[in-house]
């Protein structure tokens, strides 16, 4: 087996049928290396989020295949796929990631609960994770009492709860100002140095410039554009 | 975090909605428990009164219906159309013991009480009464009253004091030992005194008959009908028809309670549906975090089951209190006047049953919303804003 943690072959996804049929992905082949930092970029509505959902096993493809850590997801039952998400993938979305009625600590504890960690061990782990994202002093705060950047850092801490090999993020800094974005990126880069595989959908060239790999999605397909890649590298 | 804790945090996040939904089921269950308790005590009281009557046959005015039969058991006022001659001809029949009663009502301290005219010596023997304080009627037409024990205690009447019946002060002679039935709440007068007081000269309300040979009870019923043109019912017939009425009343009350519970069940459905819409995105987040559909389903089911459990407990307690406090008020009505110690008929098993029932109702109510929540696809739920 190769060093790929996620691998797709001729991945297709369509929504709707008949007149409303949308071909969101039209045959995507890619490999994500273990420990890499990959950015998915491309114009709005061209299939970035769709691709991310499929890479994380949040949805089933209409055609082709996705293998996560060697597991073909179409062969898994809903229950097994959920278990795979709990252990192998940490998701962070653009906004409203947190369960609103729970504190920062409790949000992390829910992720641990879903992976089967006993109640007694959860609090200690949650404390470690909040420390990791620099929010030890916000353990008892509810999402409404946190800034946008702090909320995203809690979401990252929660995504890390079960120490998944892969973090999948859909515009995690899309809603943040540049200072908050810098806070979040600092945390992410530190994680990547520690060996986590990061996959990040973004519209920001600055962020894309820092990634090791770029995946350009256009019209449901992956586009190679070495010239643009070079341009981006210069920004960095 | 445990599923229970998570559910508890979720259920209380909209405090107003939580409380109002809960109140719905509490009220529904409370009415159910109250009606069950009252109905249960009604039935057992009726059976007890029927036994306390001590008669195999009851002679009633011609054409009397079930309502009058209830009244005999409750001590309500009855038409007094049976004449002294008719009583005499019944009493002349060999092989039976026939005791006439004049059933009237009066009020002490503006609370209604039964007043009974009786044949002192015969009734005492017929009912097996004992005296606990003072003395019994010395003669068949003695002036004075003998009181049931509960009534004497309730109105603080002791032998030697006086009680006002129909505007006349009557000396209290004695107090009966507790019987556990409506006799405890009755003022007894000797027949002549009662007849004079209520201007019912030579008339009585009904005649209780005990036959010496129980197997010949039907024969004696015919014999009495031969002698007088009056209605004769056996104690069993009377019991059946009275229980029939009470059963109908009970059924109606329980039907009302069932409607209340049904309304409360829809309240739960409504609240849970709203919760699934409100938390649509959170459901997606939970799924992304690795919650299987079955987990989502369980979380929502648990949430609605809590409504049933808390509502059942609250309803049982409120129903207990309700039947306790409501009993004295509804006892002014003939059909329900048996209810004195309603708590006596509430058994813990029934309360447990009520809690289980309400939990079951809530679980059934939660099925559809929980299914809707679990059916959401993660991507759809996450895309929801
Ligand atoms: N649930 C859905 N039902 C129908 N069509 C959908 C659904 N989700 C996405 N699409 C369509 O699929 C295409 C790709 O959508 P996707 O969300 O992946 O785009 P995106 O690249 O993430 O865009 P953005 O940068 O704006 O987030 C779009 O045309 C979109 O309208
Ligand atoms: Mg998107």
């Amino acid at each position: 087996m190769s060093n790929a943690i996620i691998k797709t072959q001729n991945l297709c996804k369509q929504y709707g049928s008949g007149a409303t049929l949308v071909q969101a992905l039209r045959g995507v082949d890619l490999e994500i290396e273990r420990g890499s930092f990959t950015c998915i970029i491309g114009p709005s509505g061209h299939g970035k989020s769709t691709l991310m959902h499929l890479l994380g096993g949040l949805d089933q493809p209409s055609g082709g295949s996705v293998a996560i850590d060697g597991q073909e997801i179409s062969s898994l039952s809903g229950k097994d796929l959920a278990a795979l998400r709990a252990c192998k993938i940490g998701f962070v979305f653009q906004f409203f990631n947190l369960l609103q009625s729970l504190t920062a600590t409790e949000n992390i504890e829910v992720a641990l609960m879903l992976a089967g960690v006993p109640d007694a061990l959860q609090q200690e782990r949650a404390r470690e994770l909040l420390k990791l994202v620099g929010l030890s002093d916000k353990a008892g705060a509810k999402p409404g009492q946190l800034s946008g950047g702090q909320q995203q850092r809690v979401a990252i801490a929660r995504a890390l709860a079960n120490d998944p090999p892969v973090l999948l993020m859909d515009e995690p800094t899309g809603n943040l100002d540049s200072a908050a974005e810098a806070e979040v990126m600092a945390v992410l880069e530190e994680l990547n140095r520690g060996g986590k595989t990061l996959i990040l959908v973004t519209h920001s060239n600055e962020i894309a410039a820092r990634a090791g790999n770029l995946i350009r999605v256009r019209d449901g397909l992956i586009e190679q554009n070495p010239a643009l890649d070079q341009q981006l590298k210069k920004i960095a | 975090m445990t599923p229970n804790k998570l559910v508890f945090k979720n259920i209380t996040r909209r405090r107003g909605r939580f409380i109002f939904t809960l109140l719905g089921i509490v009220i529904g269950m409370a009415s159910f428990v109250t009606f069950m308790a009252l109905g249960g005590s009604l039935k057992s009281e009726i059976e007890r009164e029927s036994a306390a009557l001590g008669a195999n046959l009851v002679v009633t005015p011609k054409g009397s219906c079930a309502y009058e039969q209830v009244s005999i058991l409750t001590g309500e006022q009855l038409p007094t159309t049976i004449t002294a001659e008719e009583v005499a001809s019944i009493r002349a029949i060999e092989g039976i013991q026939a005791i006439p009663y004049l059933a009237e009502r009066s009020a002490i301290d503006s609370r209604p009480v039964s007043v009974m005219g009786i044949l002192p010596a015969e009734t005492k023997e017929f009912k097996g009464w004992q005296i606990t304080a003072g003395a019994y009627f010395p003669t068949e037409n003695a002036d004075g009253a003998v009181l049931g024990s509960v009534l004497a205690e309730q109105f603080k009447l002791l032998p030697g004091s006086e009680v006002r019946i129909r505007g006349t002060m009557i000396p209290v002679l004695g107090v009966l030992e507790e019987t556990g039935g409506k006799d405890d709440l009755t003022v007894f007068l000797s027949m002549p005194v009662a007849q004079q007081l209520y201007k019912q000269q030579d008339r009585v309300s009904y005649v209780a008959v005990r036959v010496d040979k129980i197997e010949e009870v039907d024969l004696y019923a015919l014999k009495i009908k031969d002698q007088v043109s009056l209605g004769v019912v056996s104690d069993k017939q009377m019991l059946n028809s009275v229980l029939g009425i009470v059963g109908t009343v009970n059924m109606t009350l329980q039907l009302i309670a069932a409607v209340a519970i049904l309304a409360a069940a829809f309240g739960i459905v409504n609240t849970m549906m709203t919760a699934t819409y409100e938390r649509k995105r959170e459901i997606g987040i939970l799924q992304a975090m690795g919650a299987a559909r079955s987990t989502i389903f369980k979380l929502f089911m648990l949430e609605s089951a809590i409504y049933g459990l808390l509502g059942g407990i609250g309803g049982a307690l409120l129903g207990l209190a309700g039947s306790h406090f409501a009993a004295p008020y509804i006892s002014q009505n003939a059909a329900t006047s048996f209810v004195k110690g309603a708590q006596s008929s509430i058994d813990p098993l029934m309360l447990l049953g009520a809690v289980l029932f309400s939990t079951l109702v809530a679980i059934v109510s939660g099925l559809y919303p929980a299914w809707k929540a679990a059916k959401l696809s993660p991507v759809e739920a996450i895309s929801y804003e």
Side-chain angles (χ1 to χ4, degrees), chain B residues 184-199:
Chain B
D184 291 344
L185 291 161
T186 306
V187 175
F188 294 100
L189 302 173
S190 67
M191 189 61 88
V193 170
Q195 284 172 334
Q196 201 190 354
L197 213 53
Y198 284 90
K199 303 204 168 44

Side-chain angles (χ1 to χ4, degrees), chain B residues 97-378:
Chain B
Q97 211 183 343
I99 312 286
Y101 292 92
L102 179 65
E104 293 288 352
R105 297 288 274 181
S106 182
I108 303 176
D109 295 347
S110 62
R111 294 200 53 182
V113 295
S114 305
V115 177
M116 289 285 242
I118 55 168
L119 302 180
E122 280 184 58
T123 309
K124 182 169 184 246
E125 189 235 272
F126 193 84
K127 294 247 191 184
W129 281 338
Q130 301 291 324
I131 301 295
T132 174
Y136 196 64
F137 300 100
T139 59
E140 286 300 294
N141 56 2
D143 192 16
V146 170
L147 310 180
S149 61
V150 174
L151 181 133
E153 194 182 324
Q154 206 171 4
F155 299 104
K156 313 241 174 321
L157 294 168
L158 293 169
S161 60
E162 287 192 322
V163 55
R164 182 191 292 271
I165 304 288
R166 274 214 140 191
T168 309
M169 296 308 288
I170 296 182
V172 175
L173 299 174
V175 179
L176 295 177
E177 215 167 67
E178 189 165 345
T179 63
K182 74 161 199 310
D183 290 351
D184 291 344
L185 291 161
T186 306
V187 175
F188 294 100
L189 302 173
S190 67
M191 189 61 88
V193 170
Q195 284 172 334
Q196 201 190 354
L197 213 53
Y198 284 90
K199 303 204 168 44
Q200 299 291 347
Q201 226 54 61
D202 294 335
R203 284 176 182 271
V204 301
S205 311
Y206 64 92
V207 182
V209 174
R210 189 187 292 157
V211 299
D212 294 346
K213 289 188 183 134
I214 183 70
E215 61 279 5
E216 289 176 2
V217 63
D218 294 334
L219 183 74
Y220 281 105
L222 290 175
K223 270 192 185 173
I224 294 168
K225 279 184 187 157
D226 277 351
Q227 289 292 322
V228 291
S229 173
L230 293 170
V232 180
V233 287
S234 74
D235 59 339
K236 285 195 193 64
Q237 283 166 345
M238 190 159 81
L239 192 63
N240 281 342
S241 64
V242 173
L243 284 180
I245 297 177
V246 170
T248 317
V249 174
N250 263 354
M251 279 270 284
T252 315
L253 291 179
Q254 278 162 27
L255 209 69
I256 294 169
V259 171
I261 291 171
L262 197 70
F266 281 109
I268 294 179
V269 175
N270 191 31
T271 294
M272 294 307 296
M273 285 306 286
T274 314
T276 64
Y277 288 125
E278 254 177 17
R279 293 186 221 144
K280 199 165 170 179
R281 188 174 167 88
E282 293 199 356
I283 293 166
I285 298 282
L286 281 170
Q287 287 175 318
M289 282 159 77
R293 283 175 200 274
S294 60
T295 309
I296 304 287
F297 184 78
K298 267 184 238 155
L299 289 174
F300 275 85
M301 283 311 288
L302 207 57
E303 193 166 327
S304 53
I306 285 177
Y307 277 115
L309 187 68
L310 294 182
I313 293 170
L317 294 177
L318 193 67
L320 261 179
S323 61
H324 186 75
F325 291 112
Y329 293 97
I330 45 181
S331 70
Q332 320 254 330
N333 174 295
T336 52
S337 69
F338 298 104
V339 184
K340 292 188 282 276
Q343 61 272 48
S344 63
S345 81
I346 291 187
D347 64 301
L349 221 66
M350 187 187 103
L351 292 182
L352 188 74
V355 174
L356 286 179
F357 176 63
S358 125
T359 309
L360 191 76
V361 167
I363 284 174
V364 172
S365 309
L367 280 173
Y368 179 68
W371 176 76
K372 284 287 266 189
K375 196 173 65 104
L376 276 175
S377 90

Side-chain angles (χ1 to χ4, degrees), chain A residues 85 95 100 106 119 122, chain B residues 1 9 281-282 287:
Chain A
R85 286 198 298 266
F95 38 70
Q100 298 298 310
E106 288 164 346
D119 195 21
Q122 291 172 7
Chain B
M1 190 60 53
K9 300 236 172 213
R281 188 174 167 88
E282 293 199 356
Q287 287 175 318

